Amino acid sequence: MMKQIILDTINENEAKFKDISIYIGENPELGHEEFKACEILTDTLKQHDFNVEIGICDLPTAFKATFDSGKAGPVIGFMAEYDALPELGHACGHNLIGTMGIAAGIGLSKVLSETGGKVIVYGTPAEETKGGKVTMAEAGIFEELDVAMMVHPLDSYMKSGDSLAMDAIQFEFFGKAAHAAASPHLGINALDAVLQTFNSINALRQHIKSDARIHGVITEGGKAANIVPDYAVAQFYVRAGKREEVNKLVEKVIQCAEGAALQTGATVKASFYEFSYDDMITNQTLSDLFTKQLVDLGVEPSEIQEQRDGSGSLDMGNVSQVVPSIHPYVKICNEAYACHTHEFREAAMSDQGRDAMILGAKSMALTGLEILTNKELLAKIKAEFLKNK
């Protein structure tokens, strides 16, 4: 009966949810500028009697929307993302993710009078850049949750898996300008220090673990070819399977830059130019429960893949360090379109993409229902979380 109430609620509001995803998709906003998306998502939650707080954790487009039954019980959290990519718009499908999060929360809220507990939908801005979940996790806002969930669009159904921990490190090199032809001996070449840093890091690659990644760009390399560059900047992402491995690797990368400065006579300043992401710890018990809902709703088990080799970094990883979490994927296109492409953006605006969004919302809501009504299951989820921590 409660399962049917959830499904009926999402079905009855399906047209509204799809319209919201179209609106967000047609009005892409970059991280921490998602005012239109935040407004339409929170207004919809208010219409379903959620208590909404906007601007939490000093993030103007972050929100927390709570539906409290007033009875004791588990606290279920759904994550909503809604930031776009520069120039590409919603080429990562966050217009679907944000709407999926509120749809799941609204559906599950309709049975809380029977189950007890709370449902909280978190609006988490700037996933693509400075990771709103990082700030929110550091503030302790997720610690009240028993579980946390979000679903990402992809070109296939995929179970929640791992992600790489990541630091974004910047090196500024300071040298001394001089005429590159008339008096090069008077200069200190900051660009040479950058190039030597890349060379040193390339040598370091022989001695890092297979899941580690170091990749970078030169963002400032001088102003004119006849002037010895007195200022140069390089930015790197340093990734590995676990946070502790990233910490060790970053130390070595910093030593590469310091050595380059010493060799060239330049000075160097290291800083982090984006927030650090922790590795994703998928709660397998929770993941299996979500997969079961997908299958019960009609997805063939053979269609649901294990995570592919290789992964990026997610600010959901920081949430997973605090509370049992999952980050699975639903299929929005039949072609092998990669995220962050024009083709994937169009898929995220398609009928198939919107249907997948509704499926993901239902699966998350029904996963939450299982947890609300099965104490033994929640105990198993928490025991696994403590073991993996």
Side-chain angles (χ1 to χ4, degrees):
M1 179 63 178
M2 287 189 288
K3 177 178 179 179
Q4 196 58 51
I5 290 172
I6 290 171
L7 296 177
D8 288 346
T9 297
I10 296 176
N11 286 336
E12 289 164 5
N13 291 276
E14 179 175 334
K16 172 68 171 177
F17 295 142
K18 289 182 175 181
D19 286 345
I20 291 171
S21 74
I22 293 170
Y23 174 80
I24 295 174
E26 291 179 343
N27 294 274
E29 300 165 298
L30 300 181
H32 298 307
E33 299 174 9
E34 316 99 319
F35 294 101
K36 291 179 180 178
C38 179
E39 181 179 22
I40 194 169
L41 293 171
T42 54
D43 282 352
T44 306
L45 288 162
K46 289 175 185 176
Q47 291 167 16
H48 290 270
D49 300 319
F50 278 73
N51 177 44
V52 176
E53 305 168 67
I54 299 174
I56 61 172
C57 302
D58 295 322
L59 302 174
T61 56
F63 67 81
K64 175 184 176 182
T66 305
F67 191 101
D68 188 349
S69 69
K71 304 176 184 178
V75 184
I76 311 297
F78 299 113
M79 304 292 144
E81 297 174 359
Y82 35 87
D83 61 315
L85 291 156
E87 299 183 10
L88 286 173
H90 279 286
C92 204
H94 290 193
N95 58 312
L96 302 177
I97 296 174
T99 313
M100 215 181 312
I102 70 163
I106 289 167
L108 187 57
S109 73
K110 304 306 180 184
V111 300
L112 286 193
S113 60
E114 295 186 53
T115 65
K118 295 181 187 178
V119 174
I120 304 178
V121 181
Y122 296 93
T124 63
E127 189 276 334
E128 297 290 359
T129 51
K130 294 192 174 181
K133 297 184 198 65
V134 177
T135 300
M136 297 164 79
E138 289 177 349
I141 199 167
F142 302 125
E143 292 176 4
E144 65 182 304
L145 295 177
D146 287 289
V147 299
M149 291 178 265
M150 66 169 286
V151 175
H152 201 291
L154 201 64
D155 63 353
S156 60
Y157 296 103
M158 190 177 298
K159 297 178 182 179
S160 182
D162 302 326
S163 70
L164 299 177
M166 182 271 287
D167 279 347
I169 190 165
Q170 173 175 282
F171 297 113
E172 295 177 273
F173 290 92
F174 303 89
K176 183 179 180 183
H179 195 291
S183 53
H185 58 287
L186 298 179
I188 296 175
N189 196 317
L191 178 59
D192 279 348
V194 165
L195 297 176
Q196 189 58 47
T197 299
F198 273 87
N199 289 334
S200 297
I201 289 173
N202 286 338
L204 176 64
R205 295 182 203 282
Q206 301 177 64
H207 309 289
I208 65 177
K209 292 186 176 182
S210 60
D211 65 355
R213 303 285 187 272
I214 311 171
H215 41 101
V217 295
I218 300 171
T219 59
E220 175 68 63
K223 300 302 183 184
N226 65 344
I227 303 173
V228 174
D230 63 346
Y231 180 70
V233 182
Q235 293 180 338
F236 295 90
Y237 283 140
V238 181
R239 308 181 197 251
K242 298 294 180 183
R243 164 50 50 191
E244 55 266 28
E245 294 299 326
V246 170
N247 293 343
K248 294 175 184 177
L249 192 53
V250 164
E251 290 182 10
K252 294 180 179 180
V253 170
I254 290 174
Q255 289 171 352
C256 289
E258 291 174 341
L262 182 63
Q263 291 173 55
T264 58
T267 58
V268 62
K269 175 184 176 183
S271 60
F272 294 102
Y273 65 97
E274 291 179 3
F275 290 151
S276 297
Y277 287 8
D278 289 337
D279 48 296
M280 177 76 195
I281 305 174
T282 284
N283 188 279
Q284 195 58 53
T285 305
L286 184 57
S287 178
D288 291 344
L289 182 59
F290 176 84
T291 300
K292 176 181 179 297
Q293 310 311 315
L294 277 183
V295 173
D296 288 348
L297 290 170
V299 179
E300 290 294 329
S302 59
E303 287 190 78
I304 305 172
Q305 303 177 15
E306 300 291 338
Q307 180 178 281
R308 299 167 185 161
D309 292 338
S311 64
S313 303
L314 310 165
D315 64 355
M316 190 66 183
N318 296 63
V319 181
S320 75
Q321 303 285 333
V322 178
V323 59
S325 301
I326 56 171
H327 184 284
Y329 301 82
V330 290
K331 181 178 179 178
I332 69 165
C333 53
N334 296 325
E335 297 77 12
Y337 295 148
C339 296
H340 295 204
T341 62
H342 294 285
E343 293 81 4
F344 198 83
R345 178 190 63 202
E346 297 309 308
M349 292 293 286
S350 69
D351 289 341
Q352 184 177 354
R354 289 187 285 274
D355 288 343
M357 174 188 77
I358 296 300
L359 174 63
K362 290 177 178 178
S363 299
M364 279 197 292
L366 295 177
T367 300
L369 176 62
E370 293 263 14
I371 295 164
L372 288 168
T373 55
N374 189 330
K375 293 181 180 180
E376 291 76 16
L377 183 59
L378 180 57
K380 184 178 179 183
I381 289 169
K382 290 190 170 184
E384 179 188 334
F385 174 74
L386 293 173
K387 179 182 178 181
N388 287 340
K389 283 282 285 183

